[in-house]
């Protein structure tokens, strides 16, 4: 796992005394990154979702003004990836374990004095668990829980936008930009489970009726999307735009947490 570049905001880099001395903790948000370790086709490493989460935060946090207080926990790198079960390299935890892990972290943060947490998630399979756990954390601990979701969307083709949802053009481009030597473009493939504009209402995603899927239902290679369209130039531009959007959202989150603490 790459070491975060936002060391002054990374809680494990502070001493216990320094954390105790953070002023006004009740109005300071703490970001919890959640990712996954799972197969990403023959061209990408299994750590993509967790690596990109750190890369996005490393791009965004330096853009957040110094006087905006916000801290980050270590990432939850292993998530709910049972859809990729059976592929060597996929590590996953159960729905219950993910929920309990998140709740335990929230409970400690609450005990230290923090009252707002923000989940920054980079793995789609975690979302349903995160949603209900966030509500439980709010109702049981009285904490404010935010889901950070930057609104920047890269300009993809309608086909990629609808059916490129794993190890796709976006993830591959960002990995080309964020890492060195971890992407093997000679192994990149284009594989879609459905075509935009073709008849068929029952689809894995993006249709009025959808079915639950595991990777074997939607892909032979483990890629769902067009990884061959990825370039480092796209990755650079998209990551810069995404970092700006994420930084703006973190800055707004800080203002919101302050207002909430006064209520
Ligand atoms: Zn991914």
């Amino acid at each position: 796992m790459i070491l975060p570049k936002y060391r002054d905001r990374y809680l494990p880099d502070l001493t216990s005394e320094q954390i105790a001395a953070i002023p006004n903790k009740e109005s300071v948000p703490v970001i919890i990154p959640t990712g996954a370790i799972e197969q990403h086709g023959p061209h990408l490493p299994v750590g993509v979702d967790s690596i990109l989460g750190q890369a996005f935060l490393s791009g965004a946090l330096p853009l957040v003004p110094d006087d905006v207080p916000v801290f980050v926990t270590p990432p939850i790198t292993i998530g709910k990836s049972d859809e990729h079960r059976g592929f060597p390299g996929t590590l996953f935890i159960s729905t219950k374990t993910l929920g309990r892990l998140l709740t335990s972290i929230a409970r400690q943060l609450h005990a230290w004095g923090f009252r707002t947490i923000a989940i920054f998630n980079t793995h789609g399979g975690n979302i349903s668990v995160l949603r209900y756990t966030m509500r439980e954390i709010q109702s049981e601990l009285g904490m404010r829980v935010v889901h950070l979701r930057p609104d920047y969307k890269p300009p993809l083709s309608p086909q990629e936008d609808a059916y490129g949802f794993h190890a796709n053009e976006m993830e591959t481009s960002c990995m080309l930009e964020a890492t060195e030597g971890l992407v093997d473009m000679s192994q990149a493939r284009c594989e879609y489970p459905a075509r935009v504009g073709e008849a068929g209402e029952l689809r894995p995603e993006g249709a009025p009726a959808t079915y639950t899927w595991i990777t074997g239902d939607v892909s032979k290679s483990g890629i769902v999307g067009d990884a061959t369209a990825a370039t480092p130039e796209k990755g650079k531009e998209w990551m810069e735009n995404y970092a700006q959007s994420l930084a703006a959202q973190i800055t707004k989150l800080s203002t919101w947490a302050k207002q909430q603490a006064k209520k």
Side-chain angles (χ1 to χ4, degrees):
M1 205 55 54
I2 54 173
L3 277 172
K5 294 195 181 123
Y6 43 87
R7 312 311 296 262
D8 50 338
R9 298 185 186 275
Y10 189 53
L11 287 172
D13 275 1
L14 306 183
T15 64
S16 182
E17 268 183 16
Q18 285 171 325
I19 292 171
I22 294 169
N24 308 315
K25 286 197 201 62
E26 69 286 353
S27 64
V28 174
V30 178
I31 297 170
I32 305 176
T34 57
I37 306 287
E38 59 184 32
Q39 77 78 23
H40 269 75
H43 69 305
L44 289 173
V46 294
V48 169
D49 292 2
S50 290
I51 292 169
L52 286 182
Q54 293 302 299
F56 292 143
L57 285 168
S58 291
L61 285 164
L63 305 177
V64 174
D66 287 346
D67 61 351
V68 171
V70 60
F71 292 91
V72 189
T73 68
I76 296 178
T77 51
I78 300 178
K80 190 185 163 299
S81 299
D82 49 343
E83 69 272 29
H84 300 288
R85 183 195 297 265
F87 285 88
T90 297
L91 288 172
F92 65 89
I93 52 178
S94 69
T95 299
K96 268 190 190 155
T97 304
L98 178 58
R100 284 178 183 161
L101 188 52
L102 197 61
T103 306
S104 295
I105 295 170
R107 204 171 277 135
Q108 310 312 309
L109 293 170
H110 184 273
W112 306 345
F114 291 106
R115 292 293 177 269
T116 303
I117 57 177
I119 309 293
F120 178 55
N121 176 56
T122 45
H123 168 54
N126 289 340
I127 291 173
S128 50
V129 187
L130 295 175
R131 284 236 171 86
Y132 75 71
T133 308
M134 287 165 69
R135 181 153 291 145
E136 282 174 5
I137 290 170
Q138 185 187 3
S139 73
E140 287 170 23
L141 298 175
M143 297 182 87
R144 295 169 287 274
V145 192
V146 172
H147 198 170
L148 282 176
R149 277 188 296 182
D151 54 13
Y152 174 71
K153 275 188 80 176
L156 302 166
S157 70
Q159 174 64 24
E160 180 70 5
D161 192 35
Y163 294 114
F165 49 79
H166 187 73
N168 51 18
E169 181 182 351
M170 198 277 283
E171 284 190 322
T172 306
S173 296
C174 291
M175 283 295 287
L176 283 168
E177 163 63 11
T179 66
E180 261 173 49
L182 291 186
V183 184
D184 181 359
M185 283 304 285
S186 72
Q187 295 295 318
R189 307 267 184 283
C190 175
E191 202 177 339
Y192 289 117
R195 304 292 313 182
V196 162
E198 273 176 14
E201 290 298 291
L202 191 61
R203 298 276 171 91
E205 307 273 343
T210 57
Y211 55 87
T212 55
W213 53 269
I214 57 170
T215 307
D217 296 330
V218 291
S219 174
K220 282 198 184 82
S221 64
I223 297 168
V224 188
D226 187 3
T228 66
T231 69
E233 292 75 25
K234 288 177 187 171
K236 185 173 188 325
E237 186 190 329
W238 297 349
M239 288 196 76
E240 281 170 5
N241 289 335
Y242 194 80
Q244 278 178 12
S245 175
L246 181 58
Q249 208 171 73
I250 292 170
T251 307
K252 272 187 218 155
L253 161 74
S254 167
T255 309
W256 180 82
K258 250 182 235 158
Q259 289 164 349
Q260 294 293 311
K262 282 191 198 136
K263 281 187 181 167

